[in-house]
Amino acid sequence: MGVSSWNPLRSRDGRPSKLPMYENLNSPSKERNSNDSYGDSDYDDYSDGSSSPSTSNSRYTSVSTSAATPIMPKRNFVIPRKPRQPLAYRLPNKVVRYLCFGLTSFIILMIITLIRASHNENKALAEGRIDRPPSAPPAWESYPFLTRYYGGIRNLVPFSKSVPEYPRERDELPIDKLSYVNGSNWQPDIEERSLPASKEYIKYPQSVFQNAPEQFQECYLDKANKVRVPPLRYYEGRPNGFPEAVLGSYELLGLPEDICFERYGRYGPYGFGYSVRSGGLGTGELGEKEGFEATWDKVPQVDWTGTDWADVQRRCYQANAARYKALPPKQVSPHGFFINEETAAAKLHARDAPLDKSPQSPADSTVKEKSAAATSEEGAVSKQLPRTAVVIRCWDDYVWREEDIMNVRSLISELVLASGGRYDVHLLVQVKNDAAHPIWADAAVYEKRIKDTIPEEFQGLVTFWTETQMLSLYQGIFDLFTRGPDLPVHGVYRGLQMAMQHFAYLHPEYDYYWQWEMDIRYIGHYYDLFSKIENWTKEQPRKGLWERNARFYLPSVHGTWEDFKQMARVQSELGTTNADNIWNGIPGADKQPQAARGDKPIWGPERPKDPKDWFESDDDPMPETTYEKDKYVWGVGEDADYITFNPMFDPEGTTWGLADDITGYNTSDGNGMPPRRAQIITASRMSRRLLMKMHRETAFLKHHAFPEMWPGTVALQHGYKAVFVPHPLYVDREWPTEIFARTLNNGRNGATGGARTSVFGQREHNLIGLTWFYNSGFAPNLYRRWLGLKVNNDGGEEFELTVDESKNGTSVNEMRGGEGRMCLPPMLLHPVKDVELPVEVNPEEDIEIPESDPAA
């Protein structure tokens, strides 16, 4: 059946009654129609079948139709359609090819241009030629500044009656800061203004001189034993509203909390406040000075001209040699054969050999005879005291200012003379350009460089060192270049401890070594500070010590020291929730659940995984019992091998940029990084045992780490006693103490390190406002204001003398002033650099005066 006769609407009932007739296929008309086009009959058949009024609706024509219907339908052909006209004109293929080539070239050129622009911008950012877009300010910048640090001696109140401006409880009402000055002793209408009297610090009841007095021969500045150093003077109380220390504790360490020092009582004994003609520094003669003469009431001003501190220290030690361990002989390093050398046949001994087996020089024999005589006169000495070296780091191009000189004078006077020779002060000076100054090639060049760069009074204290010297001593260290090729491992930045190690090797006469810096200042008496710190660390038990070392202590949040100890123990054993483990154990989390959050307590040496990295471990101290059985006994009475002023944190997992600056260890084969600890700022005390272990391990096993990480790492791996001292620290802004505590102790399990959320690394900006940090902004500003200088147009002579009634006292620049010289309680400050004090003209400088003409 043909397609043309199909009708989908036809009825199933109507059927044709007769068979159709066959069509003559040879018809010429058929051939023409079938080849060329559709015939009219096709349309007629379709229309008849579909439009007939009959009820059958058959697809076939009626039997009454005269035309014969073929039995097979005609073949249908697809009707050819006319091609559609394009919407637009079609471009030639040649033009299309050119357009595609141009578009592709443009895209490639654009990609190259963007890559080059990105590279140039990154290079410019790295070189500092383009300022980075300002980031959002940290939250602490919104906290207001504290103002009562800048109160003066005319507004002193007893410590028990002082209401501190900070910290305060949340539910306390805001303070009217003008109430702190309304009760001031300042009375503008009266010429004679009341001023409390200062007192000598050596007579302060809680000082080391009264609590633990020592019997020794007094030390003098001159050989005739007539010139004494005037004592420091203090004021009782504090300026009204003076804030409390946010970190650390005075009471814990036994430091004085209820007194304060102003600049003349602190530095007046060392030449501050009188002229060069009188033997002073020629500075401190401006500003508010009332009452400063009391500094020299009993002991006159010292003429510091011609002082030789090396000779002063020797005479002080010799006068009290009986109190200390006998000096080991000075060992001369091997230097070949000399025909006229008397000691050529003597056997070379190790520097740490027992004294009874070492050769003695005539000078040592004389000292021993004097010591024995003194001992027989005074009675048997129960225990001879160890001696300590205070090593101040410096460099040959350092610009010595008057403020630096009076600080070093105070350090020597208060540690050496006030202790009877228990301490010695040295200057460890780096020669930066030993190519221009070949100090190792000629002894005369060595001495000349000292005279050209160091003040005359300190020249006898100098020990030079250079980077090339350290390179020759500690050869073979694999350099990681963690700070680029300009800062090698033997350099002053990454290899600073090498010079300290070698210094200790050259000086076996000391049991302990304080590493000090030129930019550290202490408002108080140095011997009082050092002796109390050393005594406190000696009494610390080893149980939980490393866990406490890793945390800041905030008394307003943590409570008493016993509360803090228990908190550190619980956090370490049970663990805490922080950003690094908050998702552990949650279904679908990427991190795998940990078996326990707590840390294994550190009890004894923490060895590297590879036994080949162990070095001379046989003599390492081991625990006397298990951790659980110890009753906080082990370590009590043991001198600390390592004392720091900042927490010793675990750099693993932190953002601290030098966490991986440790070399010489096997970190492959699944060993990972060795156990290590770091502390910011290298100022610390190290025992000879620790320094010698560092020295030998660096020289023989090629182990080394960044200077702030190397001592703590060696102490941890060898089980030495290391203690962080929670000394008092102040903050410049009104931090909420709870937030401050969480910010500082935000590492693993409540410690300062061990996690990416550690405050050490990218979050160190939170520590800028403290009085002790490597980049503190508060410490230098506070110190300069205390000296009477202007800072940010605040402070100075006018501020100390004049009351400005127009100011409301709500901020630092709105303080009214007129309270006199600033008075600060004992505190450590770092860093304090480049303090320029007004200085009078040196009268020794010749002024050319033209001669008058008699004939004129």
Side-chain angles (χ1 to χ4, degrees):
M1 293 182 296
V3 176
S4 62
S5 63
W6 180 76
N7 183 4
L9 299 179
R10 68 180 177 82
S11 173
R12 292 181 179 271
D13 298 332
R15 300 287 181 182
S17 57
K18 296 181 180 180
L19 292 174
M21 295 178 63
Y22 289 100
E23 182 182 8
N24 186 5
L25 298 180
N26 295 325
S27 173
S29 61
K30 175 62 182 174
E31 292 178 359
R32 182 176 61 252
N33 292 337
S34 62
N35 292 331
D36 297 333
S37 62
Y38 289 99
D40 294 338
S41 62
D42 295 327
Y43 293 98
D44 293 341
D45 291 345
Y46 180 77
S47 60
D48 290 343
S50 60
S51 60
S52 176
S54 64
T55 60
S56 64
N57 290 329
S58 173
R59 58 178 174 173
Y60 300 104
T61 57
S62 173
V63 292
S64 61
T65 304
S66 60
T69 303
I71 192 169
M72 294 182 66
K74 293 182 178 180
R75 183 180 177 184
N76 293 327
F77 295 93
V78 178
I79 301 175
R81 297 182 180 180
K82 296 181 179 180
R84 291 185 177 182
Q85 294 295 329
L87 298 177
Y89 174 73
R90 180 177 180 181
L91 295 175
N93 292 340
K94 184 177 182 180
V95 175
V96 172
R97 284 196 298 270
Y98 281 128
L99 288 176
C100 292
F101 176 78
L103 180 61
T104 304
S105 301
F106 174 76
I107 293 175
I108 294 175
L109 181 63
M110 181 63 67
I111 292 174
I112 295 175
T113 303
L114 292 175
I115 293 174
R116 179 173 177 79
S118 176
H119 171 74
N120 292 339
E121 184 177 8
N122 292 335
K123 183 179 179 181
L125 285 172
E127 295 176 354
R129 292 186 282 109
I130 297 180
D131 295 333
R132 295 178 182 271
S135 57
W140 54 264
E141 289 192 4
S142 63
Y143 303 144
F145 282 101
L146 300 171
T147 63
R148 294 308 304 162
Y149 289 115
Y150 309 103
I153 56 177
R154 301 186 183 282
N155 195 12
L156 296 177
V157 296
F159 176 73
S160 59
K161 295 183 179 179
S162 176
V163 180
E165 179 187 16
Y166 174 85
R168 299 181 62 81
E169 300 293 337
R170 292 183 179 179
D171 55 352
E172 290 189 58
L173 296 175
I175 296 179
D176 179 13
K177 296 188 177 182
L178 285 179
S179 63
Y180 289 125
V181 298
N182 289 338
S184 172
N185 293 328
W186 176 273
Q187 300 178 17
D189 54 337
I190 302 177
E191 288 188 15
E192 296 295 333
R193 295 156 294 183
S194 59
L195 188 68
S198 61
K199 300 181 179 180
E200 295 180 2
Y201 185 72
I202 57 176
K203 297 181 180 179
Y204 174 66
Q206 303 303 320
S207 69
V208 67
F209 306 103
Q210 300 296 322
N211 279 343
E214 298 176 281
Q215 300 295 328
F216 57 83
Q217 295 294 326
E218 185 178 1
C219 298
Y220 297 85
L221 293 175
D222 64 328
K223 295 180 180 179
N225 293 340
K226 293 181 178 180
V227 180
R228 293 185 175 92
V229 178
L232 270 64
R233 302 189 71 88
Y234 70 94
Y235 285 90
E236 290 185 340
R238 286 186 176 188
N240 195 8
F242 196 94
E244 291 183 352
V246 66
L247 298 172
S249 171
Y250 286 93
E251 181 181 3
L252 183 66
L253 303 178
L255 297 174
E257 186 176 13
D258 55 350
I259 64 173
C260 64
F261 294 87
E262 49 84 37
R263 54 181 177 266
Y264 291 107
R266 177 67 184 91
Y267 285 133
Y270 310 112
F272 181 78
Y274 56 99
S275 66
V276 177
R277 293 178 178 87
S278 301
L281 292 169
T283 186
E285 299 184 85
L286 302 176
E288 208 273 335
K289 298 173 61 177
E290 185 176 355
F292 84 116
E293 302 91 350
T295 305
W296 307 283
D297 277 349
K298 295 184 179 180
V299 180
Q301 296 175 349
V302 176
D303 184 356
W304 294 96
T305 306
T307 303
D308 183 357
W309 284 110
D311 181 63
V312 171
Q313 294 190 84
R314 289 191 187 98
R315 286 188 282 104
C316 186
Y317 167 75
Q318 291 170 2
N320 297 278
R323 304 177 65 227
Y324 309 109
K325 298 178 181 179
L327 296 179
K330 181 181 178 181
Q331 181 65 53
V332 180
S333 58
H335 54 271
F337 169 74
F338 291 87
I339 194 65
N340 60 345
E341 187 173 10
E342 297 179 357
T343 59
K347 183 180 179 180
L348 294 176
H349 294 269
R351 291 183 179 272
D352 294 325
L355 296 177
D356 55 350
K357 297 182 181 180
S358 301
Q360 299 178 1
S361 64
D364 297 327
S365 302
T366 305
V367 170
K368 278 196 169 184
E369 291 175 2
K370 292 182 178 180
S371 302
T375 303
S376 60
E377 293 177 1
E378 297 177 3
V381 179
S382 59
K383 182 179 180 182
Q384 291 181 316
L385 300 175
R387 300 188 70 242
T388 302
V390 179
V391 184
I392 307 175
R393 294 190 290 102
C394 190
W395 60 94
D396 58 343
D397 293 331
Y398 185 83
V399 179
W400 287 80
R401 297 172 174 83
E402 289 73 17
E403 192 274 336
D404 297 305
I405 292 175
M406 68 185 188
N407 175 60
V408 177
R409 284 177 181 174
S410 70
L411 195 68
I412 301 175
S413 299
E414 295 164 17
L415 287 177
V416 180
L417 306 187
S419 68
R422 182 177 173 185
Y423 296 85
D424 285 344
V425 175
H426 295 258
L427 291 178
L428 186 59
V429 181
Q430 179 202 8
V431 178
K432 290 193 171 183
N433 189 357
D434 53 346
H437 308 286
I439 59 174
W440 308 123
D442 193 336
V445 177
Y446 192 104
E447 295 298 328
K448 184 178 183 300
R449 192 57 183 163
I450 291 178
K451 294 179 180 179
D452 292 344
T453 59
I454 307 298
E456 183 179 359
E457 59 187 284
F458 306 125
Q459 290 177 1
L461 311 179
V462 174
T463 299
F464 276 152
W465 73 277
T466 63
E467 293 184 2
T468 54
Q469 179 194 21
M470 297 301 108
L471 179 62
S472 64
L473 289 171
Y474 301 108
Q475 274 286 343
I477 299 177
F478 181 75
D479 198 341
L480 300 173
F481 292 106
T482 54
R483 279 293 184 262
D486 295 334
L487 295 173
V489 70
H490 295 91
V492 65
Y493 179 69
R494 295 176 55 217
L496 182 64
Q497 291 290 354
M498 294 181 181
M500 195 69 189
Q501 295 167 189
H502 187 243
F503 177 89
Y505 174 76
L506 294 176
H507 290 273
E509 66 269 26
Y510 303 112
D511 292 288
Y512 302 98
Y513 304 80
W514 275 102
Q515 182 172 217
W516 213 242
E517 300 177 7
M518 286 294 296
D519 56 358
I520 296 176
R521 301 293 181 269
Y522 180 60
I523 310 299
H525 199 286
Y526 275 111
Y527 182 53
D528 190 74
L529 172 71
F530 278 34
S531 59
K532 290 179 177 178
I533 284 177
E534 292 166 356
N535 292 335
W536 183 81
T537 57
K538 186 176 182 178
E539 299 304 318
Q540 296 309 300
R542 280 176 172 262
K543 186 173 183 177
L545 184 58
W546 283 102
E547 289 74 21
R548 297 191 296 274
N549 288 341
R551 290 164 170 79
F552 282 103
Y553 172 47
L554 286 78
S556 60
V557 177
H558 300 144
T560 65
W561 181 251
E562 288 299 322
D563 295 336
F564 176 72
K565 287 172 59 178
Q566 296 306 318
M567 181 202 73
R569 180 187 62 82
V570 172
Q571 288 180 342
S572 300
E573 293 179 358
L574 302 182
T576 61
T577 301
N578 55 41
D580 278 353
N581 60 17
I582 191 173
W583 302 112
N584 288 352
I586 296 179
D590 294 336
K591 295 185 177 182
Q592 297 297 326
Q594 298 179 354
R597 287 181 176 177
D599 297 321
K600 184 191 72 171
I602 297 176
W603 193 241
E606 288 287 313
R607 310 283 192 202
K609 289 186 178 180
D610 189 352
K612 294 181 180 179
D613 287 328
W614 300 4
F615 181 76
E616 296 180 352
S617 57
D618 295 338
D619 58 346
D620 291 344
M622 300 302 294
E624 300 172 353
T625 182
T626 62
Y627 180 84
E628 293 75 13
K629 293 182 179 180
D630 183 77
K631 304 299 182 183
Y632 293 93
V633 174
W634 185 40
V636 176
E638 177 188 4
D639 285 300
D641 292 281
Y642 189 41
I643 300 176
T644 69
F645 293 107
N646 262 335
M648 287 173 264
F649 66 97
D650 182 3
E652 184 68 29
T654 67
T655 58
W656 188 48
L658 295 155
D660 296 331
D661 190 7
I662 183 169
T663 184
Y665 292 86
N666 181 14
T667 58
S668 60
D669 302 328
N671 292 316
M673 298 296 288
R676 58 203 190 279
R677 290 295 182 270
Q679 68 98 13
I680 307 300
I681 302 177
T682 56
S684 58
R685 194 193 79 164
M686 292 169 281
S687 68
R688 178 169 179 79
R689 175 172 68 168
L690 174 61
L691 280 168
M692 287 299 95
K693 190 71 69 174
M694 294 162 56
H695 166 70
R696 293 179 58 81
E697 194 160 343
T698 303
F700 293 101
L701 214 56
K702 314 306 176 186
H703 287 173
H704 190 66
F706 189 71
E708 294 174 340
M709 183 163 55
W710 184 226
T713 298
V714 174
L716 176 70
Q717 295 179 2
H718 291 273
Y720 295 160
K721 185 178 181 180
V723 185
F724 156 55
V725 178
H727 62 106
L729 270 71
Y730 293 85
V731 67
D732 63 341
R733 294 176 183 262
E734 198 171 344
W735 274 82
T737 53
E738 292 284 349
I739 295 178
F740 201 32
R742 290 197 298 268
T743 301
L744 299 185
N745 296 330
N746 198 31
R748 175 178 171 83
N749 294 333
T752 55
R756 61 183 176 85
T757 52
S758 168
V759 72
F760 298 112
Q762 297 177 356
R763 294 170 175 81
E764 288 178 358
H765 60 83
N766 294 288
L767 303 172
I768 293 177
L770 291 174
T771 51
W772 180 268
F773 200 57
Y774 80 94
N775 63 346
S776 168
F778 181 43
N781 290 346
L782 183 66
Y783 185 75
R784 284 175 168 82
R785 288 285 302 270
W786 178 74
L787 286 174
L789 303 177
K790 273 194 171 185
V791 177
N792 299 327
N793 207 32
D794 297 323
E797 181 179 6
E798 184 179 357
F799 175 80
E800 295 177 350
L801 293 172
T802 309
V803 179
D804 188 349
E805 298 286 350
S806 64
K807 296 187 175 181
N808 55 26
T810 56
S811 61
V812 175
N813 56 4
E814 285 293 324
M815 292 186 68
R816 291 186 172 183
E819 299 182 42
R821 303 186 297 275
M822 281 178 56
C823 201
L824 297 178
M827 66 175 71
L828 276 169
L829 300 173
H830 180 274
V832 178
K833 303 176 184 290
D834 305 329
V835 179
E836 295 282 358
L837 295 174
V839 182
E840 69 176 10
V841 178
N842 191 343
E844 296 180 358
E845 297 179 358
D846 296 333
I847 302 176
E848 295 184 0
I849 302 176
E851 296 182 0
S852 60
D853 186 0

